[in-house]
Amino acid sequence: MNGKLVLKALARGDVPRRPLWIMRQAGRCLPEYRDLRRTHSFKALSGSPDLAAEVSLLPLKRFPFDAAIVFADIMSPLPALGVQFDFAPGPVVADPIRDQAGVDAIRVEDPDALAPEVIETVARVREETPNDIAVLGFCGAPWTLAAYLVEGRGVKDFPTLRAFAAAKPAVLDGLLARLSSAMADYLIAQARAGADAVQVFDSWAGLLSLADWERLIRPHLRTLLETVGASGVPRILFVQNAPHLMDAYAELPAEAISVDWRTDVAEAQRRWPDRAVQGNIDPAVLLGGKDATRRAAEDLLARVEPRGHIVNLGHGLLPETPLASIDALVEAVHNEVLP
């Protein structure tokens, strides 16, 4: 079996210890990243393969993580679909989609045009990453991308998006179908460039009731995951703030389900024993310092069976996270003695 611990865990194989990586490990709390941000915007960093590869590799120089995740944004492939946006500081779409004409304008004439700078970044990160460390690609889920495309920017509870879904479900369905197809191509391209596995971020799934999620979202998320899986790429599905959807999304075709801190990851493991699980320490715990972090990590390790478990946070690192807390998390994971 492949020597990469993350891939062994995704296959629910035997590992000498649990693998560990952290969402948003590439950036934010690292002083080296903040130094780069003094002279480069986020858009400039993510748009340059040289700089994005450098940022992707920064956390591995400080911490013995088991994966590098490519530094990019979920919006990175959207210019190839005709979407213009900027960051202020989150994504702001120039022309939000509110009708069928807007959906009709979303098209991919050439799949190779989907964020070629990200594909090049993946290739560079793979070339510069040790062979026993996994490289992870990622994309935004169709519904999460649609949230920004329809609302125009990130706002509390996305009311325009939810109104659009209620008033024009067929138009939304067409938008999600186009996004699903494009993101499948994008993830497969990342895998061909050297990504060992990919993660799909569905940050806003929790906005919907179970019934609406089943009706509106499930078919497109399934299509995306099935298409990527058919190419042989291991898949991690991260669904944010959606414990009421867990049973539904855990049935989707993915090697691992990643849950936020609101969900009992041990219970998810018991309910879905054929899935690997990822997570799920509250990122705010790390703000409490190394002792609080160590206690949370040891509790997680005690409650969750090691087979098929990838240690991570329940969401991304917060910018003010003390580096000593990350050290404490690494130490707890590495010091665990597996039976």
Side-chain angles (χ1 to χ4, degrees), residues 5-336:
L5 291 184
V6 168
L7 297 189
K8 288 184 177 182
L10 287 173
R12 302 192 71 254
D14 293 328
V15 292
R17 63 165 175 80
R18 307 183 206 217
L20 165 67
W21 71 280
I22 301 178
M23 287 184 274
R24 290 183 178 161
Q25 66 187 30
R28 307 240 286 184
C29 73
L30 296 179
E32 301 91 340
Y33 174 76
R34 290 197 292 267
D35 287 344
L36 284 170
R37 282 300 311 274
R38 291 188 181 98
T39 53
H40 300 84
S41 68
F42 174 84
K43 192 172 186 177
L45 286 178
S46 59
S48 163
D50 285 339
L51 292 171
E54 180 181 350
V55 174
S56 303
L57 294 166
L58 284 178
L60 299 184
K61 295 178 180 179
R62 275 191 175 267
F63 307 106
F65 291 143
D66 297 300
I69 186 165
V70 63
F71 181 76
D73 191 80
I74 61 169
M75 303 290 283
S76 294
L78 295 189
L81 281 67
V83 176
Q84 299 305 313
F85 66 91
D86 211 332
F87 295 102
V92 179
V93 175
D95 296 303
I97 294 172
R98 304 289 168 77
D99 53 27
Q100 186 62 51
V103 173
D104 291 342
I106 299 293
R107 62 184 64 205
V108 181
E109 303 294 346
D110 178 10
D112 290 337
L114 288 164
E117 73 281 4
V118 175
I119 306 307
E120 177 62 23
T121 299
V122 172
R124 295 189 187 194
V125 172
R126 178 67 279 166
E127 182 178 352
E128 297 181 40
T129 300
N131 290 333
D132 60 339
I133 304 299
V135 172
L136 304 179
F138 73 90
C139 78
W143 169 253
T144 287
L145 295 175
Y148 294 103
L149 293 181
V150 173
E151 196 78 37
R153 63 191 309 148
V155 300
K156 181 177 173 58
D157 295 334
F158 290 86
T160 303
L161 170 70
R162 289 155 52 219
F164 183 77
K168 300 177 180 179
V171 180
L172 175 64
D173 188 72
L175 174 60
L176 294 174
R178 293 182 185 222
L179 292 172
S180 172
S181 176
M183 291 308 102
D185 288 339
Y186 180 49
L187 291 180
I188 292 169
Q190 291 181 58
R192 288 174 177 163
D196 297 293
V198 294
Q199 177 160 307
V200 177
F201 286 83
D202 209 347
S203 302
W204 303 117
L207 292 169
L208 295 173
S209 68
L210 175 59
D212 285 342
W213 184 89
E214 295 269 12
R215 176 173 55 90
L216 296 169
I217 309 306
R218 178 200 283 275
H220 301 289
L221 201 47
R222 176 176 289 279
T223 295
L224 166 61
L225 292 167
E226 286 179 343
T227 303
V228 173
S231 70
V233 185
R235 303 147 296 179
I236 305 168
L237 175 60
F238 174 65
V239 182
Q240 152 80 347
N241 197 14
H244 62 296
L245 303 179
M246 189 183 75
D247 283 344
Y249 70 72
E251 291 182 343
L252 292 172
E255 281 67 32
I257 52 175
S258 182
V259 297
D260 71 17
W261 68 94
R262 303 169 183 90
T263 298
D264 185 342
V265 69
E267 177 64 16
Q269 187 181 57
R270 287 190 291 270
R271 293 173 72 106
W272 300 97
D274 61 334
R275 295 285 193 272
V277 295
Q278 180 176 276
N280 71 332
I281 297 169
D282 184 347
V285 167
L286 277 67
L287 303 184
K290 60 183 182 180
D291 291 339
T293 301
R294 185 178 296 106
R295 287 193 298 269
E298 290 172 351
D299 176 68
L300 178 73
L301 299 177
R303 292 187 301 106
V304 181
E305 290 295 323
R307 182 178 293 275
H309 181 211
I310 299 169
V311 180
N312 208 311
L313 304 186
H315 204 261
L317 275 171
L318 296 168
E320 57 272 31
T321 302
L323 299 185
S325 294
I326 302 175
D327 285 326
L329 174 59
V330 170
E331 183 180 0
V333 173
H334 284 219
N335 285 348
E336 181 187 24

